[in-house]
Amino acid sequence: MQPTQRALEIAPTVREGLEKLDLALVGKEPKRAEALRTFRIVATDYDCMVILPQLVKRLSGSASRVALQVPTCNHLYLDQHLQSGRCDLIIGPFNKLQTGLRRSKLLSDDKVIAV
């Protein structure tokens, strides 16, 4: 799934609005400035829904001073994002990677569509 041009244009404003809403509900400033390390993770929408919530939960307990960013990324150029340093980790389905990149199996899942 690719975001539309309009979605890409309004994404920063929507993100800012959600952060303000979160601030209003929680009542305190986020602690992003205190983060020791920020990791940029590129993941498919499916992986964001399945894997990232558990990762965030684990990190909040054991590595509370680590921040995560999940930028939008064109899946056709994922290898280049890693090699250029624009992201630290990619989560998604890969059969082949360029030389020098490693992969580890996170889970097995059979997707089925029933009509």
Side-chain angles (χ1 to χ4, degrees):
M1 178 183 299
Q2 295 289 341
T4 63
Q5 184 61 36
R6 177 70 177 142
L8 293 172
E9 290 170 3
I10 66 171
T13 306
V14 171
R15 183 178 311 272
E16 181 181 342
L18 291 172
E19 288 173 355
K20 287 181 180 181
L21 178 61
D22 185 49
L23 176 61
L25 295 173
V26 175
K28 59 182 178 182
E29 290 288 331
K31 296 183 179 181
R32 287 192 190 121
E34 297 176 18
L36 291 177
R37 175 76 159 89
T38 299
F39 291 95
R40 291 175 312 272
I41 299 174
V42 173
T44 63
D45 291 339
Y46 176 79
D47 297 318
C48 285
M49 292 178 0
V50 173
I51 296 169
L52 286 184
Q54 294 175 21
L55 176 62
V56 169
K57 185 176 181 179
R58 291 178 80 176
L59 286 175
S60 67
S62 62
S64 60
R65 297 186 68 187
V66 169
L68 296 180
Q69 290 181 350
V70 185
T72 58
C73 179
N74 183 335
H75 72 281
L76 298 175
Y77 304 105
L78 294 178
D79 299 1
Q80 293 174 11
H81 285 276
L82 272 175
Q83 291 179 336
S84 69
R86 286 181 278 184
C87 70
D88 302 298
L89 174 72
I90 298 174
I91 302 172
F94 300 102
N95 292 328
K96 294 181 181 180
L97 291 175
Q98 289 181 358
T99 304
L101 299 178
R102 293 181 297 146
R103 65 180 177 155
S104 265
K105 188 174 189 176
L106 289 177
L107 61 92
S108 293
D109 189 10
D110 293 322
K111 295 178 187 177
V112 178
I113 298 175
V115 180

